[in-house]
Amino acid sequence: MTRRQTSPPPGPSGMPDPPPSPDPSTSTDPSASPDPLARRVSAWLAGGVWSAAALLLTGLLAWMALTPDVWHARPDAAGLVLRPGLAATFELALATAGLLILILTPPARAVMVMVTCWRSGERLLAAFSAVVVLLLMLSVVLGLLWR
Amino acid sequence: MSGGGLGIAVGSARVTPALLLVAVLLSSVAAGLMGSLLGLGGGIIVVPVLTLGLGVDIRLAIAASIVSVVATSCGGAARYVRSGLANLRLGVVLEAATVSGALCGAAAFGLVPAAALFLLFGMVLAGVAVRMAVADDRDRPPPAGTPPDRWAERLRLSVPRSPAPGVPPYAVRRLGTGLAVSYVAGVLSGLLGIGGGVLKVPVMNLAMGVPLKAATATSNLTIGMTASASAAMYLARGDIAPLLAAPVAVGVLLGATLGSVLLPRLQTRWLRRAFVLVLLVIAGQMIHRGWS
């Protein structure tokens, strides 16, 4: 929390007047560090990325442990061995779950920003967030259609 | 490792899957570390490392790289958002344009031939190298005679108080220019598996009047969302090989985290200058590969 609450230094010309000192407990400004939204977004980002990394690592280790010929096999086009069967499904599922958590962490943040802006009456910013969320959903749909 | 040194022939029996995985993981840690120390995203380094160094197909490398961009952005952005340095409002607004661009880029990715991807990547890399050579990383004053943007004021994008020590308050200008350049950054991100900060940071700093540190933090926050759109499309389309993307994402994330710890203790000015040459050589190799 480094945001200064005292009189601010003079800014460039045309700078808007600083608003009254925000009360951290009631502020809804999503760009301010004392804001609960920033704290929630920050915690979400950190939690998402490290849990995803843990899942990805587990998937990789499971793959190396469960593939008996991992040190000798002839790789496929991607340089890896993808075996049919339950074990391969298990490790691929772990890796894919990690990827999904990772990929979905930023969109979850966008949803969080959208909801908070809407609740605080900032409809215009909420609309921008909604556009971002819709585009992110569209990317999945387009990818599935293109498959 | 194969007899050809780093010339691992992926898809042949010259290297086993386990060795390839270890090589990819270690290379990705190195790419993330260098990217963090040099102020670049991991993607701009990891794609050449995977393609030229390990012989991975450029499409698989780009798809894996885009996942690593999400990882590094989420890791770094958490700190920037918490400190208030990243302008979350500005980031959300610019993202509307960047994600649109990323969708176009990711869609074009399926149509553009691999040779063109090599050429384009080489040219972007050369541009990054030139910018690293000439940029002095000092804040420029806001563009003279440009009033604060009307839409930026309506959206309250300006920051009237210092967001962090050493970062002055600022008024956001030229939102339209920022949106246009962000769209182009998104296209490049979706097409080449890079973050797009190479365009976003200069436009925010030079055209929009955002201080460099705040621009870098905001860019770091937003590239995750951009990459997420591309990665979602790649994943849904089946372009991502999970067992290749996983070590790249984890490796780049670990390298970038290590870099952020080492950065305050190192003098990176000479490292940056030396790396300009390396980047130029790699750019030349990428262009040559595309051309031939």
Side-chain angles (χ1 to χ4, degrees):
Chain A
M1 305 299 170
T2 54
R3 198 169 206 198
R4 293 172 193 167
Q5 302 294 318
T6 53
S7 55
S13 62
M15 183 68 63
D17 289 336
S21 297
D23 175 0
S25 62
T26 57
S27 169
T28 51
D29 180 358
S31 67
S33 55
D35 178 39
L37 174 67
R39 285 201 299 271
R40 257 193 299 166
V41 167
S42 157
W44 181 272
L45 287 172
V49 73
W50 289 113
S51 54
L55 263 177
L56 289 174
L57 262 181
T58 312
L60 287 175
L61 291 175
W63 174 69
M64 292 188 82
L66 294 172
T67 309
D69 51 357
V70 71
W71 295 99
H72 311 290
R74 185 181 177 84
D76 68 356
L80 300 162
V81 176
L82 300 179
R83 297 163 294 116
L86 196 60
T89 310
F90 166 70
E91 62 234 29
L92 263 181
L94 277 177
T96 308
L99 288 177
L100 275 176
I101 290 179
L102 200 56
I103 291 170
L104 292 179
T105 297
R109 185 190 73 207
V111 172
M112 210 184 285
V113 172
M114 182 181 71
V115 170
T116 308
C117 290
W118 184 264
R119 280 185 182 164
S120 61
E122 296 195 62
R123 300 291 148 88
L124 203 52
L125 202 59
F128 270 98
S129 312
V131 168
V132 173
V133 173
L134 283 175
L135 287 171
L136 289 166
M137 287 161 66
L138 184 64
S139 69
V140 178
V141 175
L142 284 177
L144 287 172
L145 288 176
W146 206 318
R147 207 176 167 91
Chain B
M1 206 70 65
S2 67
L6 282 177
I8 293 172
V10 176
S12 78
R14 290 174 64 199
V15 63
T16 64
L19 274 180
L20 177 71
L21 193 140
V22 171
V24 167
L25 186 67
L26 293 179
S27 307
S28 302
V29 171
L33 177 64
M34 289 308 290
S36 175
L37 293 179
L38 298 168
L40 302 170
I44 204 99
I45 300 177
V46 86
V47 172
V49 166
L50 289 178
T51 52
L52 299 178
L54 298 177
V56 174
D57 179 83
I58 190 165
R59 291 184 181 282
L60 290 172
I62 285 175
S65 163
I66 203 78
V67 177
S68 77
V69 173
V70 181
T72 46
S73 167
C74 291
R79 193 172 60 246
Y80 292 136
V81 172
R82 198 166 46 239
S83 71
L85 192 55
N87 188 333
L88 195 53
R89 289 169 170 279
L90 178 59
V92 166
V93 172
L94 292 182
E95 270 313 286
T98 319
V99 173
S100 310
L103 283 188
C104 296
F109 175 78
L111 307 171
V112 177
L117 291 175
F118 269 109
L119 272 175
L120 192 57
F121 202 101
M123 287 191 282
V124 170
L125 206 54
V128 170
V130 170
R131 187 172 173 273
M132 272 176 65
V134 298
D136 54 8
D137 284 351
R138 272 184 298 193
D139 266 327
R140 300 285 186 278
T146 316
D149 192 280
R150 193 164 57 90
W151 278 94
E153 294 307 301
R154 264 186 90 177
L155 290 160
R156 296 205 290 134
L157 304 183
S158 298
V159 177
R161 287 193 175 83
S162 171
V167 181
Y170 56 93
V172 171
R173 297 164 160 83
R174 292 177 176 156
L175 187 59
T177 308
L179 287 169
V181 176
S182 293
Y183 175 81
V184 178
V187 173
L188 285 182
S189 172
L191 196 55
L192 301 178
I194 60 176
V198 59
L199 285 180
K200 281 188 199 170
V201 174
V203 80
M204 274 193 265
N205 183 227
L206 299 176
M208 301 178 73
V210 181
L212 193 60
K213 278 186 181 174
T216 307
T218 307
S219 166
N220 192 296
L221 171 76
T222 59
I223 59 174
M225 196 113 65
T226 313
S228 173
S230 310
M233 189 186 272
Y234 287 1
L235 190 66
R237 203 167 49 192
D239 289 333
I240 294 180
L243 292 177
L244 185 69
V248 172
V250 172
V252 171
L253 179 64
L254 290 177
T257 307
L258 182 64
S260 68
V261 173
L262 290 178
L263 190 62
R265 302 169 196 176
L266 293 177
Q267 281 285 343
T268 55
R269 200 176 56 162
W270 292 108
L271 185 67
R272 283 173 70 97
R273 292 205 175 149
F275 208 73
V276 165
L277 288 176
V278 178
L279 282 185
L280 281 174
V281 170
I282 295 173
Q285 285 187 335
M286 296 287 278
I287 290 172
H288 180 258
R289 176 75 72 90
W291 198 259
S292 58

